[in-house]
Amino acid sequence: MAKKQFFISAEEGLHARPAAALVSEANRYQCELSLEFKDRTVNLKSILGVMGLGIPTRSDITIHADGQDEQEALLGLAAVLLAKDMIDADR
């Protein structure tokens, strides 16, 4: 199992479009992926689960990956968050 923590810096938080892009990217991988925020964990391959967390700006999230392509998945998901200006690359 692998995990990576991210700080959501976008003013809107993790809103619909970047959440959809994140879920779309997650579905490219075979490993199990989950998103943790404030003691709640959801399946990262479910848009309803991700949106249900209501992640605001200045929040720490953790992505957990478990499976054959877990490292590749974490890198791909980080790239999506960075491309959508959701995270600060320097943090």
Side-chain angles (χ1 to χ4, degrees), residues 20-41:
L22 199 60
V23 169
S24 178
E25 181 68 15
N27 280 295
R28 295 183 59 232
Y29 304 100
Q30 293 181 345
C31 64
E32 297 291 322
L33 290 163
S34 59
L35 176 63
E36 180 183 353
F37 173 66
K38 287 192 175 180
D39 299 324
R40 289 183 57 203
T41 302

Side-chain angles (χ1 to χ4, degrees), residues 14-66:
L14 188 60
H15 60 92
R17 281 195 192 121
L22 199 60
V23 169
S24 178
E25 181 68 15
N27 280 295
R28 295 183 59 232
Y29 304 100
Q30 293 181 345
C31 64
E32 297 291 322
L33 290 163
S34 59
L35 176 63
E36 180 183 353
F37 173 66
K38 287 192 175 180
D39 299 324
R40 289 183 57 203
T41 302
V42 298
N43 180 351
L44 187 51
K45 296 180 180 183
S46 165
I47 188 66
L48 291 177
V50 174
M51 291 301 300
L53 291 175
I55 300 170
T57 189
R58 305 189 57 74
S59 296
D60 287 310
I61 63 169
T62 304
I63 296 176
H64 300 266
D66 187 17

Side-chain angles (χ1 to χ4, degrees), residues 1-6 36 62-65 70-71 74:
M1 176 178 268
K3 66 180 180 178
K4 185 156 178 65
Q5 189 170 22
F6 299 95
E36 180 183 353
T62 304
I63 296 176
H64 300 266
E70 62 190 29
Q71 293 299 326
L74 289 176

